Amino acid sequence: MEETIIKTEYSDTMQKSFINYAMSVIISRALPDVRDGLKPVQRRTLYDMHELGIRYDRPYRKSARIVGDTMGKYHPHGDSSIYEALVVLTQDFKKGIPLIDGHGNFGNIEGDGAAAMRYTEARLQKITQEAILADLDKDVVDFVPNFDETEREPSVLPCRFPNLLVNGSEGIAVGMATSIPPHNLGEVIDATKAYMLNESITTAELMKYIKGPDFPTGGIVCNRDELLSIYETGVGKIKLRGAVEVEKTKGGKLNLVITEIPYTMIGANIGKFLQDVAALYEQKKAPEILDISNQSSKEGIRIVIELKKDTDVENFKNLLYKKTRLEDTFGVNMIAISDGRPETLGLKGIIAKNVEFQYEIAKRKYTTLLNRELEKREIQEGLIRACNIIDLIIEILRGSKDRNMVKNCLTNGVTEGIKFRSKSSSVMAQQLNFTERQANAILDMRLYKLIGLEIEALMKENAETNANIYKYEDILERRDSMAQVIIGELDALKKEYAQKRKTRIENAQEAVYEEKKPEETDLMFLMDRFGYCKTIDIPTYERNREAVHAEFKHVVKCRSTGKICVFTNTGQMHTIKVEDMPFGRLRDKGLPIDNISNYSSANETALLVASRSDLSLYRLLFVTKRAMCKLVSGGEFDVAKRTVAATKLGEGDELVNVSIVNECRNVVFQSAEGYFLRIDVEEISELKKTAVGVRGMKLGEKDWIESVHCIGPSEETQEITYKNKKINANKIKLNKRDGKGTKIKI
């Protein structure tokens, strides 16, 4: 067999392949159909349950059975996607009207997942059976071949209400996503009826019926005035808040109780909310919090925050709205499949498409019913007529040789080969003109049908059939009659399944939180050699002064509202807010400084830690490994950034010393090879922080500055430890800057 090589542009092939893939995801996976509000996997799951007979009035069946059957017949995309769709359809905290009745662990509002499909059971809800899957046997929708053309499935389900609005939908396709909030069933039905009675109705008029979204979690929609624009365009943002109540306890304390949460908080975000509230306390932004507990149950949400007496509750609520997801945004993007392609639809557009679908369903349903009644009437009229001439028909039966001979006589009046008792019977038989369907019914008729009461019942049934035919013809011929039928069905659905609105719609004021200025106190900042830091109060420090200085490498007095500056060997200065540091007892471990700053304990060494409020009072001495030194005014480091360059370093150089020299008279440079140079501190130039500095000491080729010592004005002996020996710093010869210094032999 010869090979055929097709030459094509690679980019064209990729473009076509991607477009095909994208359209497949958009149409066949991610987006719902505007007519029934279902994605393909949801539609196939519900239809499979209908076919398996797992109805609302029958026993539950294992979810694994449903998933396996759906995957094998209709949806060959893996069992996880089918089971996840089934789980969502059972969850009353995600769907306005759950379409599947689940039995077992199908997850909860706090984000716990459902049990494995082998453990759970499910069946259809009553509304699903009556309003979404009914009349599939009446040719109301088109059926298409499944993926391997061994089965047939409905292209859409005959949903009798705008399910896309009632249950909403979320899905991510390729290049687009849909996000439609759920609404109240009763309100949606009222709006649908209003549109049917006046198709020129405006979106604003429809919103007299549909006030806004109705989330199953309740909550408050805060931007009512913006809803009209959202519903007209199909795009926008809905601001949501949780519902909060205040309870007073016996001790005079206050409990802030969250009874409803924003729809966007369901799942793991409830745990995130609890963490955020705890973080507000730890960061000292909400010191009025005494305790927080999640007391939610099957009865509903109940998150309790215990507060101190005399707490400004309104201000605290605004803090929660500002800093947590108790106030959140639901992004609306009402994209659905309409006429085989994705389209962004407004409120009126979705209702219009659904009403158009309802008329199509009704037309096909009553056309099928009319045809069935016409067939029934044809048979009934034939049987009634046959009963009137039953003696002749019996004579034909007795005189015929086979069924075909009788049938030919009944339909066409052919009497050849039939033996009659009299010539008049033959003449009457030749005048018979039953239809083929009537003839078959006569031949299949049982003798008991000739009883008088049976004949009367047949006459009564024929009258009912004629009444039905008149009714169906009226529905099909007059749009008003069809509209009344659809409205009647909608009214019945509303009466049985409508629920009270859960979400309140209002124009809430912007949450304004007035942050209380924290009380300013003196604290002691402590940091050990491993980089763990904390703050303690002054009395604790005074009682344990010796132990503190023995255990911690850096001990600095600071203000609770101030900042700490950390100078490192890499030439960086890191600024840390004191309020970000943990305040506690002396024996508390503290927090790694890496967690609250840009400081990296793995790559940097802290040379000096100081309170930023005091830095402007100091002069700082910088000395590098290569003996470059300078004095810098502390005011240079009063900057807003968390991290700045404290000095400029040459290539391969690093800082070995940053120290405060306000009370320093002399500086002693100590090199690695044992050279000591003592100079007057004023010989070191005072420069900007961006300068490299001046050379403080001449070094040998392989020598470097190992340590720097500041000698105060005191006349007392000041000792330097070198190789475990004590050296009197005052006895080191005083020289000029940039000298080689004196080598001290040990």
Side-chain angles (χ1 to χ4, degrees):
M1 183 176 179
E2 295 184 2
E3 291 185 356
T4 303
I5 299 175
I6 300 174
K7 293 184 178 181
T8 182
E9 182 66 33
Y10 183 71
S11 60
D12 292 342
T13 301
M14 286 296 294
Q15 183 179 16
K16 291 177 183 177
S17 298
F18 181 78
I19 290 174
N20 290 338
Y21 160 73
M23 289 305 296
S24 174
V25 172
I26 291 169
I27 303 297
S28 303
R29 299 289 293 275
L31 300 186
D33 194 295
V34 70
R35 295 171 292 178
D36 61 6
L38 299 171
K39 299 177 187 179
V41 63
Q42 297 171 329
R43 184 180 303 117
R44 289 164 175 166
T45 302
L46 294 177
Y47 177 67
D48 185 75
M49 293 176 72
H50 173 75
E51 287 295 288
L52 290 173
I54 313 174
R55 308 188 182 190
Y56 71 92
D57 53 354
R58 296 184 184 179
Y60 295 94
R61 298 283 288 276
K62 283 289 185 183
S63 299
R65 168 66 191 277
I66 299 167
V67 170
D69 202 64
T70 303
M71 183 169 59
K73 289 181 178 178
Y74 310 115
H75 196 76
H77 299 294
D79 57 352
S80 61
S81 63
I82 301 171
Y83 187 52
E84 287 170 11
L86 186 150
V87 167
V88 170
L89 290 174
T90 67
Q91 294 175 331
D92 57 4
F93 53 86
K94 284 189 177 179
K95 295 295 181 183
I97 300 290
L99 302 181
I100 294 177
D101 179 11
H103 184 244
N105 177 17
F106 278 91
N108 58 34
I109 195 170
E110 296 181 29
D112 296 326
M117 68 179 83
R118 61 183 177 274
Y119 299 121
T120 60
E121 298 176 325
R123 65 184 178 189
L124 292 170
Q125 290 278 16
K126 186 178 180 183
I127 188 174
T128 311
Q129 195 66 48
E130 293 181 350
I132 296 180
L133 293 163
D135 298 329
L136 281 172
D137 59 338
K138 296 181 178 64
D139 191 35
V140 289
V141 294
D142 293 331
F143 277 71
V144 296
N146 69 336
F147 62 92
D148 60 0
E149 299 187 357
T150 59
E151 302 278 347
R152 294 182 68 78
E153 60 177 311
S155 59
V156 65
L157 294 181
C159 185
R160 300 307 173 85
F161 60 92
N163 181 52
L164 186 62
L165 286 175
V166 173
N167 276 325
S169 184
E170 291 184 6
I172 300 173
V174 178
M176 63 183 65
T178 186
S179 180
I180 303 172
H183 295 79
N184 184 272
L185 175 64
E187 293 180 4
V188 170
I189 287 175
D190 288 341
T192 304
K193 288 162 53 181
Y195 174 83
M196 292 179 68
L197 297 173
N198 177 19
E199 294 189 357
S200 61
I201 192 171
T202 64
T203 303
E205 291 170 333
L206 283 173
M207 288 185 65
K208 293 178 182 178
Y209 304 96
I210 299 178
K211 309 298 182 182
D214 187 23
F215 296 100
T217 56
I220 304 166
V221 171
C222 305
N223 55 336
R224 180 175 60 194
D225 289 346
E226 298 177 19
L227 293 180
L228 177 59
S229 173
I230 293 172
Y231 281 134
E232 283 183 337
T233 62
V235 178
K237 293 181 179 179
I238 296 174
K239 292 181 182 178
L240 300 174
R241 282 183 184 174
V244 181
E245 298 177 359
V246 180
E247 296 178 355
K248 288 188 178 181
T249 61
K250 292 181 179 179
K253 297 176 183 177
L254 299 174
N255 283 352
L256 202 70
V257 183
I258 299 165
T259 56
E260 298 173 10
I261 60 174
Y263 187 65
T264 52
M265 197 195 283
I266 59 176
N269 287 324
I270 293 180
K272 178 69 166 54
F273 170 75
L274 298 174
Q275 293 173 6
D276 290 343
V277 174
L280 289 175
Y281 174 78
E282 291 174 359
Q283 295 166 7
K284 304 181 181 69
K285 292 182 179 178
E288 53 267 71
I289 296 176
L290 295 176
D291 191 19
I292 179 170
S293 59
N294 186 2
Q295 301 175 11
S296 303
S297 63
K298 292 181 179 180
E299 282 69 37
I301 291 292
R302 182 178 169 84
I303 300 172
V304 180
I305 303 173
E306 296 182 25
L307 302 174
K308 295 178 181 177
K309 294 180 181 179
D310 303 323
T311 297
D312 186 344
V313 177
E314 284 301 317
N315 196 49
F316 182 75
K317 279 200 294 186
N318 289 338
L319 171 66
L320 296 182
Y321 290 145
K322 282 286 187 182
K323 302 294 185 181
T324 71
R325 297 193 74 165
L326 191 60
E327 179 176 294
D328 208 353
T329 300
F330 183 93
V332 177
N333 192 20
M334 297 200 290
I335 296 179
I337 302 301
S338 175
D339 299 325
R341 61 185 180 85
E343 184 178 347
T344 302
L345 297 162
L347 178 65
K348 182 178 177 180
I350 293 175
I351 292 176
K353 293 287 184 182
N354 187 264
V355 169
E356 180 184 339
F357 182 53
Q358 296 306 319
Y359 278 116
E360 180 186 346
I361 291 174
K363 182 179 178 181
R364 295 179 65 161
K365 172 184 175 180
Y366 288 106
T367 298
T368 301
L369 290 176
L370 176 61
N371 290 334
R372 290 180 183 177
E373 292 298 314
L374 289 172
E375 291 176 7
K376 191 188 295 184
R377 183 175 70 175
E378 180 183 345
I379 293 171
Q380 290 168 349
E381 289 177 347
L383 292 176
I384 292 170
R385 183 182 167 193
C387 288
N388 293 332
I389 55 170
I390 192 63
D391 293 336
L392 176 62
I393 291 175
I394 292 173
E395 195 172 338
I396 294 171
L397 290 169
R398 296 182 66 180
S400 300
K401 295 179 180 179
D402 54 36
R403 182 185 178 97
N404 288 335
M405 185 178 290
V406 177
K407 188 175 180 181
N408 200 18
C409 179
L410 293 174
T411 55
N412 301 314
V414 178
T415 57
E416 293 180 7
I418 301 176
K419 296 179 180 179
F420 291 95
R421 291 180 179 179
S422 64
K423 190 173 182 181
S424 60
S425 297
S426 176
V427 173
M428 290 176 63
Q430 291 173 5
Q431 297 173 1
L432 296 176
N433 58 351
F434 290 100
T435 65
E436 186 172 350
R437 189 177 286 113
Q438 289 173 335
N440 286 328
I442 291 168
L443 290 171
D444 295 335
M445 182 177 66
R446 296 187 179 185
L447 289 175
Y448 79 88
K449 288 289 184 181
L450 299 176
I451 300 172
L453 290 176
E454 288 294 327
I455 295 174
E456 287 181 13
L458 182 61
M459 298 286 287
K460 185 177 179 181
E461 186 180 344
N462 180 245
E464 292 176 357
T465 301
N466 286 325
N468 287 337
I469 290 172
Y470 175 79
K471 175 184 173 183
Y472 299 154
E473 286 178 342
D474 180 65
I475 291 172
L476 291 169
E477 290 172 2
R478 296 177 61 244
R479 188 176 176 89
D480 288 347
S481 298
M482 186 177 289
Q484 288 304 315
V485 170
I486 296 172
I487 289 173
E489 292 175 349
L490 290 172
D491 285 335
L493 284 175
K494 178 183 175 181
K495 183 178 180 181
E496 185 167 359
Y497 301 109
Q499 300 172 349
K500 290 183 178 180
R501 165 173 281 278
K502 297 178 180 178
T503 301
R504 300 196 296 277
I505 311 293
E506 59 186 50
N507 281 321
Q509 293 181 349
E510 182 75 18
V512 178
Y513 169 64
E514 294 182 3
E515 189 169 356
K516 295 180 181 178
K517 293 183 179 180
E519 185 180 348
E520 191 173 13
T521 58
D522 287 331
L523 299 173
M524 294 301 295
F525 167 82
L526 311 180
M527 178 175 163
D528 64 18
R529 58 194 179 92
F530 301 107
Y532 282 80
C533 66
K534 63 186 174 187
T535 57
I536 61 173
D537 57 38
I538 298 296
T540 302
Y541 167 71
E542 294 293 346
R543 290 194 303 269
N544 302 276
R545 183 185 292 265
E546 290 185 8
V548 168
H549 285 278
E551 185 176 346
F552 295 94
K553 187 175 180 181
H554 300 281
V555 180
V556 178
K557 188 176 182 180
C558 60
R559 301 291 287 173
S560 60
T561 56
K563 296 180 179 180
I564 291 291
C565 296
V566 180
F567 295 85
T568 71
N569 63 320
T570 60
Q572 303 292 314
M573 183 194 78
H574 303 293
T575 305
I576 312 162
K577 291 182 179 180
V578 174
E579 65 183 28
D580 291 341
M581 301 174 194
F583 174 82
R585 297 172 300 179
L586 182 61
R587 294 304 167 196
D588 291 343
K589 188 173 183 180
L591 190 71
I593 195 170
D594 307 47
N595 293 6
I596 53 176
S597 70
N598 295 330
Y599 179 88
S600 172
S601 56
N603 303 314
E604 296 178 282
T605 302
L607 301 177
L608 174 68
V609 178
S611 172
R612 197 177 81 170
S613 60
D614 297 334
L615 272 180
S616 59
L617 306 175
Y618 302 144
R619 286 195 306 169
L620 303 183
L621 170 65
F622 289 79
V623 183
T624 74
K625 199 172 183 180
R626 293 182 178 177
M628 302 304 293
C629 61
K630 65 179 179 180
L631 294 173
V632 182
S633 171
E636 291 254 339
F637 301 102
D638 190 5
V639 294
K641 292 184 179 179
R642 295 184 67 191
T643 299
V644 295
T647 187
K648 187 176 181 180
L649 295 174
E651 187 176 351
D653 203 0
E654 67 175 286
L655 282 174
V656 293
N657 177 81
V658 181
S659 56
I660 298 170
V661 294
N662 281 29
E663 298 181 0
C664 179
R665 183 183 65 184
N666 298 149
V667 177
V668 178
F669 298 103
Q670 173 189 328
S671 78
E673 293 185 351
Y675 286 91
F676 288 76
L677 177 65
R678 178 182 169 203
I679 66 172
D680 192 293
V681 70
E682 298 303 328
E683 290 203 22
I684 301 174
S685 302
E686 185 169 331
L687 303 170
K688 296 290 184 182
K689 72 178 189 300
T690 53
V692 176
V694 295
R695 190 167 67 176
M697 180 179 181
K698 288 182 180 177
L699 297 171
E701 184 178 349
K702 296 183 179 180
D703 203 3
W704 70 88
I705 297 295
E706 189 175 59
S707 185
V708 178
H709 309 277
C710 289
I711 309 300
S714 174
E715 298 298 327
E716 297 178 3
T717 300
Q718 298 188 42
E719 295 181 334
I720 297 172
T721 303
Y722 175 63
K723 292 187 177 180
N724 297 323
K725 298 292 183 180
K726 302 291 185 180
I727 300 171
N728 188 345
N730 293 325
K731 292 184 178 181
I732 299 173
K733 183 179 179 181
L734 187 65
N735 286 309
K736 296 292 183 182
R737 180 181 61 79
D738 202 24
K740 188 172 182 180
T742 303
K743 185 174 179 66
I744 294 181
K745 296 181 180 180
I746 301 299

